[in-house]
Amino acid sequence: MLAMLVGLLALFGFGGLLLILVFGARRVEEERQARAEREARLAARQPRFLVIAPPRAEPRIRSGVDESFLWQLQQYVQAEQLLADQFVLQPSIETLYRPSGRSLSH
């Protein structure tokens, strides 16, 4: 009788420990997922590294700058902006030194 009582008590204790382990692991996974979602929301709201404001409605003053050069410069800055955003979201050596694929000279 005593052996049966000790066996039941050990089984009850083992079951309790198993429940603690299962629920603790589930809670850790839920916290990890919630933290990842929260970081993704924060990263989406952070200001961009190189913010390019849209041009104002004021008339442009022609200073003799080549329009094709300005377009090329804009494309270059946009490509660098994409790389900077990728580095902010996933910082690593590879994303830091990855070339944009664009150059300012032909």
Side-chain angles (χ1 to χ4, degrees):
M1 181 73 175
L2 184 61
M4 184 193 282
L5 186 61
V6 170
L8 286 175
L9 186 59
L11 184 64
F12 180 74
F14 179 73
L17 289 175
L18 190 61
L19 282 175
I20 289 172
L21 181 68
V22 168
F23 285 123
R26 190 171 69 176
R27 183 180 55 85
V28 167
E29 288 297 322
E30 289 172 354
E31 287 176 358
R32 185 179 296 153
Q33 183 179 8
R35 184 178 24 199
E37 290 172 358
R38 184 174 52 245
E39 288 174 357
R41 281 194 312 268
L42 288 175
R45 288 190 302 172
Q46 287 181 350
R48 297 176 70 160
F49 184 68
L50 300 170
V51 177
I52 301 172
R56 297 183 204 153
E58 300 173 5
R60 290 186 172 186
I61 299 173
R62 300 292 290 189
S63 62
V65 176
D66 187 17
E67 290 292 324
S68 64
F69 176 72
L70 291 178
W71 179 81
Q72 190 178 14
L73 180 64
Q74 180 182 6
Q75 296 299 315
Y76 177 77
V77 169
Q78 286 175 352
E80 290 295 324
Q81 175 66 50
L82 287 174
L83 289 177
D85 287 342
Q86 290 174 358
F87 178 74
V88 168
L89 293 176
Q90 296 177 344
S92 70
I93 295 297
E94 291 81 21
T95 57
L96 179 62
Y97 292 111
R98 185 179 336 160
S100 66
R102 300 242 183 219
S103 64
L104 289 177
S105 61
H106 280 282

